């Protein structure tokens, strides 16, 4: 499951019938679908409540043609499948919510062998499968970056990724962006968080419900062929902050988060100045930054910082 969701975009073993396979391998593979967005998972008090919080409420129900991957006997041609006898590889959009949530981006074969301890899997073959053409705007587990004037061929909203080195609370502005920016660029929160706000406004969730949010992402490097960093965090989030009418509360929360962020940056700068003033080397994260000016006094003029 992790490989289907998060696999890096490295070279894969070429499978029979894949039109992109050359000399027994495929290149130019995308990462797993979750690797292209910043995952946001609302959490409740129990697994049951968490599952409910992560289930989109669809007034018209699921599309009748939507299927999870294991329920297909034959893929329709509109999804890039040419015959029931042999699936054809394609770069295609998801056929619906169930297709999206169970999207198989890899073909994985486990090779087993008998050992003294019994049957064991010692090798695995990973091939590319369907390539998800783009993340649909109905994906419930990501926030979005809205662009008022997208470039030709690009959608107006693209998945918003989490930033390495920033805690979940530092991205609170995107989590609480309930209104779609109409006249400019900006963030837009996930379907599920907007839905939770509606459930609170309708009285389904109490005001003191202990809602939590888990964020997760992978940071790739070298043409997304390797994993460089794992991003994961948790955050308590009051459900009342997700009610569209209570914009005053969101403004207060965002102001607190902004002040804390500014304080953290000021402390970092102060710490860097102290290290330089005492002749210390900059921290690795500060080596690429331009040194800030140190104001010397008679007591520090001979400290060597200059």
């Amino acid at each position: 499951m992790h490989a289907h969701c998060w696999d890096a975009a490295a070279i894969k073993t070429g499978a029979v019938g894949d039109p992109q396979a050359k000399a027994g391998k495929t290149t130019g593979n995308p990462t797993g679908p979750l690797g292209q967005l910043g995952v946001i998972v609302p959490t409740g008090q129990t697994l049951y409540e968490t599952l409910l919080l992560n289930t989109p409420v669809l007034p018209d129900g699921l599309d009748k043609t939507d299927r999870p991957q294991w329920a297909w006997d034959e893929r329709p041609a509109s999804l890039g499948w040419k015959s029931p006898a042999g699936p054809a590889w394609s770069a295609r959009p998801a056929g619906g919510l169930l297709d999206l949530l169970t999207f198989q981006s890899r073909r994985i074969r486990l090779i087993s062998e008998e050992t003294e301890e019994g049957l064991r899997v010692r090798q695995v073959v990973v091939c590319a499968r369907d390539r998800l053409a783009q993340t649909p705007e109905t994906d419930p587990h990501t926030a979005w970056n809205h662009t008022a004037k997208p470039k030709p061929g690009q959608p107006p909203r693209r998945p918003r990724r989490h930033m390495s080195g920033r805690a979940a609370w530092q991205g609170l502005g995107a989590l609480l962006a309930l209104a779609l920016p109409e006249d400019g660029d900006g963030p837009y929160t996930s379907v599920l968080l907007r839905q939770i706000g509606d459930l609170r406004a309708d009285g389904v969730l109490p005001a003191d419900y202990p809602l939590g949010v888990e964020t997760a992402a992978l940071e790739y490097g070298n043409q997304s062929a390797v994993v460089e960093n794992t991003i994961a965090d948790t955050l308590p989030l009051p459900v009342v902050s997700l009610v569209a009418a209570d914009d005053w509360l969101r403004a207060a929360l965002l102001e607190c988060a902004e002040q804390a962020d500014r304080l953290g940056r000021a402390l970092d700068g102060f710490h860097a100045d102290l290290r330089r003033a005492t002749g210390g080397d900059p921290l690795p994260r500060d080596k690429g930054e331009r040194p800030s000016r140190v104001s010397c006094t008679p007591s520090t003029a001979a400290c060597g910082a200059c």
Side-chain angles (χ1 to χ4, degrees):
M1 291 178 65
H2 186 278
H4 281 302
C5 296
W6 302 98
D7 192 26
I11 297 173
K12 308 298 173 189
T13 301
V16 175
D18 188 344
Q20 292 192 22
K22 295 180 180 179
K25 62 184 180 181
T26 60
T27 59
N29 301 295
T31 67
L34 294 189
Q36 302 176 38
L37 49 87
V39 176
I40 300 172
V41 179
T43 59
Q45 301 177 92
T46 64
L47 175 60
Y48 173 72
E49 291 183 2
T50 296
L51 291 174
L52 288 180
L53 292 172
N54 284 272
T55 303
V57 177
L58 305 176
D60 298 328
L62 294 168
D63 191 307
K64 294 182 179 179
T65 62
D66 191 15
R67 298 283 191 281
Q69 292 291 310
W70 56 81
W72 286 101
D73 294 325
E74 177 180 355
R75 262 59 166 195
S78 61
L79 294 185
W81 297 82
K82 298 180 180 178
S83 70
W89 278 256
S90 63
R92 64 176 183 85
L97 181 63
L98 296 180
D99 186 30
L100 174 66
L101 294 179
T102 61
F103 199 89
Q104 296 178 354
S105 63
R106 301 292 184 263
R107 295 190 175 204
I108 303 172
R109 183 175 182 176
L110 306 181
I111 300 176
S112 61
E113 62 181 58
E114 287 288 351
T115 67
E116 295 179 354
E117 295 82 16
L119 194 65
R120 295 290 185 271
V121 173
R122 296 288 178 81
Q123 293 179 308
V124 61
V125 179
V126 180
C127 305
R129 194 173 178 172
D130 281 3
R131 288 90 176 175
L132 190 62
Q134 66 182 49
T135 303
E137 294 187 7
T138 55
D139 191 307
H141 289 104
T142 185
W144 302 87
N145 281 323
H146 176 79
T147 304
K149 297 180 179 180
K151 296 180 180 179
Q154 290 186 352
R157 286 193 288 277
R158 307 180 75 176
R160 185 180 179 89
R161 299 187 179 188
H162 302 313
M163 295 181 60
S164 180
R166 289 180 63 83
W169 65 267
Q170 292 175 297
L172 196 61
L175 296 179
L176 298 181
L178 303 182
L180 180 66
E182 296 180 355
D183 301 326
D185 302 340
Y188 188 43
T189 195
S190 71
V191 170
L192 293 175
L193 291 185
R194 296 198 306 273
Q195 176 178 286
I196 290 172
D198 293 339
L199 292 175
R200 167 60 203 138
D202 294 339
V204 177
L205 289 175
D208 59 349
Y209 182 78
L211 177 69
V213 171
E214 292 186 359
T215 60
L218 288 186
E219 189 176 66
Y220 301 93
N222 191 18
Q223 297 182 340
S224 298
V226 296
V227 176
E228 289 193 342
N229 189 27
T230 300
I231 303 171
D233 202 0
T234 59
L235 176 72
L237 191 64
V239 292
V240 290
S241 67
L242 297 172
V243 178
D246 293 338
D247 53 354
W248 63 270
L249 178 57
R250 281 189 298 282
L253 289 174
L254 292 176
E255 175 62 24
C256 291
E258 175 62 22
Q259 289 185 15
D261 197 26
R262 290 201 301 267
L263 176 61
R265 292 198 299 269
L267 287 174
D268 282 344
F270 179 60
H271 181 245
D273 287 345
L274 287 178
R275 289 182 64 87
R276 282 191 291 271
T278 57
D281 294 329
L283 295 173
R285 65 184 181 188
D286 297 327
K287 287 184 177 179
E289 299 179 1
R290 185 176 180 179
S292 59
R293 184 179 299 275
V294 178
S295 298
C296 295
T297 64
S299 61
T300 62
C303 70
C306 302

